Amino acid sequence: MSDDVPLESLTVEQLKSMLAEKNLPKTGKKAELIDRLNSAKQENVIELSTSIWSRNVIGRFNLAQSVGSIAAVLLLMIVVLNPSILGFGEDEPVYQPIGFDAEKTRWYAQELVNLGHPEWEGRMSGSSEEAAAAQMILDNLSEMGYSPQLNTYPVPMFAINSEPIVSMCIPPADGLFGAPVSGASCNSGLGAQVTSFNHRTDFVLQGYSGSADIQFGQEMELIDLDDGTDDGLWGTAAGKVGIVRGGNSIDGNTGIYIKAAENGLAGIFRINNQSNCGQIESDDCVPIFKSILVDDMKAANSGSIPENIPFIAVSNNTGNQMLELAAQGAYLRLFSDVDNAGELSVSVPCGTLYGKSDDLIIVGAHHDTVYHAQGAVDDTSGTATVLEMARQLAMIANESGTPDYTLRFCTWGGEEEGLWGSKAYVGANANELARNLRLYINLDMNHVDVDIANRGNTLRFFSNSKEDINAMKDIVEVLEQERPDLFPKYAVTTGLLEGERGAPDGMPYNSDHGPFVYDLPDGVVGNALVCYGTGSYEYHTYADTMDRFNEESLGVSVIAYGTYIRHLAWPVTA
């Protein structure tokens, strides 16, 4: 094989063969193999371009700036003798856009939504609804021609056994037939003022909530804990139910739950006065589901999660109404039936198209949702994107043959409660991924709301790999010309996040790309591309429905990321 052939254009197997001829190690990702071969060359190479994709550099290097210097003369002689040193004659990559069927993508999304809980609509991790979604995904990948694999992993997970109840009662002013007034009199309904709150719209359970059945007759008081920062107020709530306004100042849900356990509360409410205020309901802040950091909770609570402390979020209006009723002497009725002490299995369906090498590109999204919502955007949109991208690339494989890379499409259960599915998958396949993973692509809420005029049209692509994000910039430029019906309509921004985990310029560990970047063994840091969209006011609320769904917007990430996969797996140069 000629030394003039650009190493980047070779397959991994060809690179490994060259390394074997030189008695050099053959392990590592493609970029590492290329670096090893470049380091072994004994000839002098003048580097004039830092571009990470192949380009003809004519016009970029201005010899006139150096005319008259000896260096320029020598450089000109080198170019005449070997033009390839400057990239003269090198082939530029041809980015061939893949297709996109908006109608089919919406069909995938609607089919997933249809599998939700019959009352609460969600596909909660570890539930039969989540398992059914995983099977639907696997069936579709198999039908496309991918080799299917259904992985299941036992993880710490809670199960909601029945619908929760929250109500408050002001007893009648005078007891029936002269009997003393008590909370028990609320049960008769005679003269009692009972206010019942609506599950999902007024209140929602929080991740790993405990169970309790508090009756009016127990005369349970509701204690105002303000924003949760006053330890003295927490002390007064022992054996009672507390209510916190906001709570971000004490480390969110995990901090609130730790405080409730430390002070022996019988239950805890959190008022949402910070998220989606006026955006979903004009005069309210709708309650959202949030989970806790399980390991942090266990560390603070003798290795366990509280099993008898219900944890519930309420809307701003509901919370204020509850406080007003408490000030009038109302008692609380609170029922929560949740099993949070064990493990449940979450599913990870994958479809694989085996390539000419073991080098691996994985595309993923989470198929679970919060328990009380369709999750049309979070993350049915991402899962539908994965399926449509897989379908389009399967058609290309039928035409173009075996790809250079092995392609794998997976979706993850357990994301909403702690990235359980992707963490478990990475843990189970850690050595293979450290050795072969070329790129992981994550699609989580890669969606722009149907109301573009009022919510914006931006999609953000970001990566910790300069090579990959620069290639995506090029591809977006190409697609703005190739797809004038779609790409000019949406604004795509790009970002490079090369910093350490937790640094301002590092990749966030907030979705399923996190384990693929940071949890590989032997200090290996994986390459990831991520897409986020805009307009998700309905995030983690009952209002995240197909009414907000904009299947057209998913075409941006399907085509852009799919085009890049096509370029890597079936490279074409001009």
Side-chain angles (χ1 to χ4, degrees):
M1 187 176 295
S2 171
D3 288 340
D4 293 335
V5 177
L7 297 179
E8 289 81 1
S9 68
L10 303 181
T11 67
V12 170
E13 292 304 317
Q14 289 172 319
L15 294 170
K16 289 181 178 179
S17 176
M18 293 175 66
L19 287 165
E21 292 174 2
K22 298 177 184 293
N23 294 318
L24 294 171
K26 298 183 292 181
T27 60
K29 294 184 286 189
K30 184 173 182 178
E32 295 169 333
L33 305 183
I34 293 171
D35 289 343
R36 200 172 296 136
L37 285 168
N38 283 330
S39 298
K41 289 182 179 180
Q42 299 301 313
E43 60 196 22
N44 294 323
V45 177
I46 299 175
E47 295 183 2
L48 292 178
S49 174
T50 59
S51 175
I52 49 70
W53 53 84
S54 299
R55 282 193 177 282
N56 190 318
V57 298
I58 295 176
R60 287 192 172 193
F61 184 73
N62 189 352
L63 288 177
Q65 294 176 348
S66 302
V67 170
S69 68
I70 296 175
V73 174
L74 290 174
L75 181 58
L76 185 59
M77 292 174 62
I78 293 170
V79 169
V80 171
L81 293 173
N82 188 2
S84 66
I85 288 178
L86 290 185
F88 285 61
E90 285 187 4
D91 291 329
E92 186 172 346
V94 175
Y95 295 119
Q96 298 175 286
I98 72 166
F100 171 69
D101 186 330
E103 184 177 344
K104 186 69 172 178
T105 305
R106 187 179 185 92
W107 183 86
Y108 287 135
Q110 188 63 62
E111 287 297 297
L112 286 163
V113 165
N114 292 345
L115 294 173
H117 189 280
E119 296 177 77
W120 311 328
E121 299 188 324
R123 304 186 300 274
M124 179 181 164
S125 301
S127 68
S128 60
E129 291 80 23
E130 187 247 319
Q135 189 61 53
M136 173 268 191
I137 293 159
L138 196 70
D139 290 344
N140 276 278
L141 290 171
S142 180
E143 184 179 337
M144 295 171 195
Y146 292 90
S147 298
Q149 182 183 43
L150 181 60
N151 310 278
T152 57
Y153 302 104
V155 301
M157 187 59 60
F158 59 96
I160 302 172
N161 299 320
S162 55
E163 189 163 22
I165 298 171
V166 176
S167 58
M168 296 186 75
C169 174
I170 300 175
D174 299 306
L176 186 64
F177 303 119
V181 175
S182 70
S185 61
C186 288
N187 297 324
S188 69
L190 297 176
Q193 300 177 38
V194 177
T195 302
S196 297
F197 300 101
N198 296 315
H199 178 220
R200 298 176 65 220
T201 55
D202 295 335
F203 71 93
V204 294
L205 290 165
Q206 298 298 273
Y208 301 91
S209 168
S211 294
D213 188 2
I214 299 172
Q215 301 285 340
F216 288 134
Q218 294 175 243
E219 301 185 355
M220 180 60 67
E221 296 180 55
L222 183 67
I223 305 301
D224 184 358
L225 300 174
D226 198 54
D227 67 354
T229 59
D230 187 334
D231 289 339
L233 290 176
W234 284 97
T236 67
K240 302 172 184 177
V241 175
I243 186 166
V244 175
R245 296 180 178 88
N248 285 343
S249 56
I250 55 168
D251 197 23
N253 269 15
T254 305
I256 291 173
Y257 213 17
I258 289 172
K259 285 279 192 181
E262 288 175 342
N263 290 277
L265 270 65
I268 185 70
F269 288 93
R270 178 178 184 173
I271 301 173
N272 176 27
N273 59 8
Q274 299 163 332
S275 302
N276 67 59
C277 298
Q279 294 175 321
I280 300 172
E281 296 183 8
S282 60
D283 63 343
D284 203 1
C285 313
V286 171
I288 64 174
F289 170 94
K290 297 294 286 184
S291 194
I292 61 168
L293 300 174
V294 170
D295 290 342
D296 290 1
M297 185 71 239
K298 288 182 175 180
N301 193 54
S302 303
S304 66
I305 300 170
E307 295 183 46
N308 58 353
I309 304 177
F311 189 4
I312 291 175
V314 298
S315 74
N316 188 50
N317 288 350
T318 298
N320 289 331
Q321 186 177 5
M322 292 175 73
L323 287 168
E324 291 173 4
L325 289 168
Q328 298 173 47
Y331 297 127
L332 183 68
R333 168 86 170 100
L334 172 56
F335 174 72
S336 172
D337 183 11
V338 180
D339 181 1
N340 68 11
E343 292 184 331
L344 294 173
S345 290
V346 297
S347 300
V348 175
C350 293
T352 302
L353 175 62
Y354 292 95
K356 296 175 183 177
S357 74
D358 293 331
D359 279 14
L360 185 61
I361 298 172
I362 299 178
V363 182
H366 71 90
H367 61 254
D368 67 307
T369 72
V370 294
Y371 83 92
H372 69 295
Q374 291 181 7
V377 174
D378 188 12
D379 186 33
T380 302
S381 65
T383 304
T385 301
V386 169
L387 288 171
E388 174 61 7
M389 195 185 303
R391 192 177 71 88
Q392 293 290 339
L393 288 168
M395 291 190 290
I396 291 170
N398 288 336
E399 297 173 358
S400 302
T402 304
D404 288 354
Y405 287 87
T406 293
L407 308 182
R408 184 168 296 157
F409 295 85
C410 299
T411 64
W412 322 107
E415 193 273 349
E416 295 294 5
E417 297 80 16
L419 313 182
W420 294 120
S422 54
K423 283 181 179 179
Y425 180 87
V426 169
N429 299 278
N431 291 330
E432 177 199 5
L433 294 172
R435 184 173 59 251
N436 296 325
L437 183 63
R438 164 62 183 86
L439 178 65
Y440 173 74
I441 295 175
N442 197 58
L443 300 157
D444 191 349
M445 301 174 66
N446 54 307
H447 176 271
V448 173
D449 189 84
V450 67
D451 186 7
I452 292 176
N454 294 306
R455 297 206 189 183
N457 65 342
T458 303
L459 289 148
R460 186 181 180 216
F461 294 179
F462 62 93
S463 177
N464 62 332
S465 165
K466 184 180 295 184
E467 174 183 354
D468 295 321
I469 200 63
N470 282 345
M472 292 309 303
K473 291 178 184 177
D474 250 18
I475 288 169
V476 170
E477 289 182 7
V478 170
L479 292 173
E480 286 178 349
Q481 301 300 317
E482 294 287 335
R483 289 297 305 268
D485 59 315
L486 177 64
F487 274 77
K489 187 174 180 178
Y490 294 90
V492 176
T493 65
T494 58
L496 175 64
L497 301 176
E498 293 182 296
E500 300 292 326
R501 179 176 176 178
D505 62 343
M507 291 284 276
Y509 198 102
N510 61 350
S511 187
D512 291 301
H513 60 276
F516 289 90
V517 174
Y518 295 117
D519 292 356
L520 301 179
D522 303 323
V524 174
V525 177
N527 294 334
L529 271 169
V530 181
C531 177
Y532 284 148
T534 57
S536 55
Y537 298 166
E538 294 77 19
Y539 169 78
H540 283 201
T541 75
Y542 71 90
D544 185 5
T545 67
M546 289 297 290
D547 292 340
R548 312 302 320 173
F549 201 73
N550 175 10
E551 59 271 22
E552 178 196 69
S553 71
L554 302 181
V556 175
S557 46
V558 167
I559 298 172
Y561 284 2
T563 297
Y564 188 39
I565 293 172
R566 182 179 193 174
H567 165 69
L568 293 172
W570 294 277
V572 175
T573 54

